[in-house]
Amino acid sequence: MDRLPQDPAMLLSYINMKLRDSYTSLDEMCDDMQLDRDELISRMAEAGFEYSATHNRFW
C-alpha cells in the first residue's frame, strides 16, 4: 500500500482509473497489484468512500 498515493482524493482517482481501465473487479485488481483488499477498503472508508461492486468503483 506504500506505493499508492497517500492523498485520499488522489488515491480515489488512481484506484477508480485502474478499476475502469484494467480490472473487472476489486478482487482482480488487488490480486494483480498484490494489495491487501481489506486494508484498501478500510483506508478508503476512512476517507469517506465505499466500494460499489455493481459499478466497480469507489464513491
Side-chain angles (χ1 to χ4, degrees), residues 38-58:
D38 293 334
E39 185 179 338
L40 177 60
I41 288 176
S42 176
R43 189 167 157 192
M44 296 301 285
E46 288 174 9
F49 305 113
E50 67 180 79
Y51 179 69
S52 167
T54 303
H55 297 97
N56 192 35
R57 64 178 290 212
F58 281 91

Side-chain angles (χ1 to χ4, degrees), residues 7-8 11-12 15 18 22 27 29-30 34 42-44 47 52-53 55 59:
D7 177 75
L11 179 60
L12 175 69
I15 293 297
K18 288 290 198 183
S22 304
D27 290 329
M29 184 189 78
C30 288
Q34 300 176 353
S42 176
R43 189 167 157 192
M44 296 301 285
S52 167
H55 297 97
W59 50 14

Side-chain angles (χ1 to χ4, degrees), residues 12-25:
L12 175 69
S13 178
Y14 177 79
I15 293 297
N16 281 340
M17 178 194 67
K18 288 290 198 183
L19 289 168
R20 180 190 69 231
D21 295 346
S22 304
Y23 301 102
T24 59
S25 71

